[in-house]
Amino acid sequence: MTTTILELFEVSAWAGIAAVGFGILFNIPRKAILTVFLLGFGAGFIKFVLLHYNINIVLASLIAASFVGILSLPLAHGIHQPPVVFSIPAVIPMIPGYYAYEMVLSIMSFTFLEKDDSKRLVFMEAIFSNGFTMLFILISLTIGVSLPLLLLRKHTAKRVDLR
Amino acid sequence: MKTENRLESIADLLLEIASILMVSGANTNRVDVNIDRFASVLNCESYSLISQKTMILTVIDNETNENYTKVKNLPAHKIDFTIISAISKVSWNALDEDWSLSRISQEIETIKKQKRYPRLVVLLAVSFAGAGFCKIFGGDYLNLALAFISTFFGLFILQAAHKRKFNTYVSVFLASLTASLLASLGVYFNFGAQPEATLATSILFLVPGVALINSFTDLIDKNVLNGVVRFTNGIMTVLAIALGLFVAMLIFQLK
């Protein structure tokens, strides 16, 4: 049990590092770096815990991204930055790159490499399952990040009254 | 005549702000809101058509009802969240303290001159991100090291190609090819516990995350055209990445 928890922390820490790496690529302000790390870490931790309990990856991503979206409101007030600055880098580690990779490889194999019909059927299944998982994860990440602002019907974090 | 000059410089300023925001990776709604805020400070109303390469903007003076319309082409996109943050701050300060036109344009000039992180810092940070991805997909520390190296050289090639003004998709293809060739070495020599994880994650730094997320937020805000354009750009980038990966796998005869 403790090793599982330690492993979860280790992987989540790497998720935080990945978030900061992308944040620096996107040139986030220096003040936001620690926040981005903590948000990336928290989101990663939530996602991996949910995955550990066999929750579907789309739902897990939605919950983790909502965590980022909801926390980014008070944080935007706290460090005086617009929420996108730290919410987008924090969810970047959850971008379904692996599913995109699997989908594209299946498309390539389906089109160029495999001639046997029964094996092509397997690739067909892989294209659809990976492709739609990727699409739904992307949608849930977006909804999760923009959910609080959508719900409050506000265009800007500044005018949201937190009291 | 004098008001027209004033309106022209307001239109120039607003277009400048909108183009910086768009190029830095703000979604369309954020550009709209910021422009409206600046326009209201300058006692004007603004209406704009925003697309990925061109903007059209009309400003109307609230008192005289005179108007002025201008079109501007946008430079190449380069994501920069510091600029988005700084412009947002300037817009609130301008609103609260009722800034003049010259004060705002002065502030925008200083924002434009802000430096980015040094190239080496970016290279190292993104390489650590690549290693982090590899860890997330179950690689061990040997795999992580190779993912770090592949990402480093992939991004190095990407930056070099950008500097020489290559076509974006060609640059992405070259970067993806470099990164996946290096990572394929790991699969070929069966390096570490999960060499496939290295191969799959060495190219993830190229995934157009901001474009894809912005495309969906634009679609939710009903900025359908911009959303579709961003999504198409994102898919084109993903295809360029896949092509690079595919060529590398062909060279090493991997399946």
Side-chain angles (χ1 to χ4, degrees), chain B residues 161-162 164-172:
Chain B
H162 266 312
R164 283 167 187 69
K165 302 226 161 40
F166 279 30
N167 173 292
T168 320
Y169 303 116
V170 174
S171 325
V172 171

Side-chain angles (χ1 to χ4, degrees), chain B residues 85-138:
Chain B
S85 167
I87 288 187
S88 166
K89 253 182 244 171
V90 168
S91 75
W92 285 114
N93 287 340
L95 196 64
D96 290 342
E97 295 161 16
D98 208 13
W99 285 9
S100 67
L101 181 61
S102 55
R103 175 86 197 271
I104 296 174
S105 35
Q106 217 177 354
E107 287 289 327
I108 299 296
E109 281 306 311
T110 38
I111 289 175
K112 269 164 64 185
K113 284 199 194 93
Q114 266 177 0
K115 280 199 195 119
R116 296 181 74 97
Y117 290 100
R119 188 174 177 194
L120 191 64
V121 173
V122 175
L123 274 169
L124 288 176
V126 176
S127 307
F128 270 112
F133 276 129
C134 188
K135 181 77 198 167
I136 292 171
F137 288 112

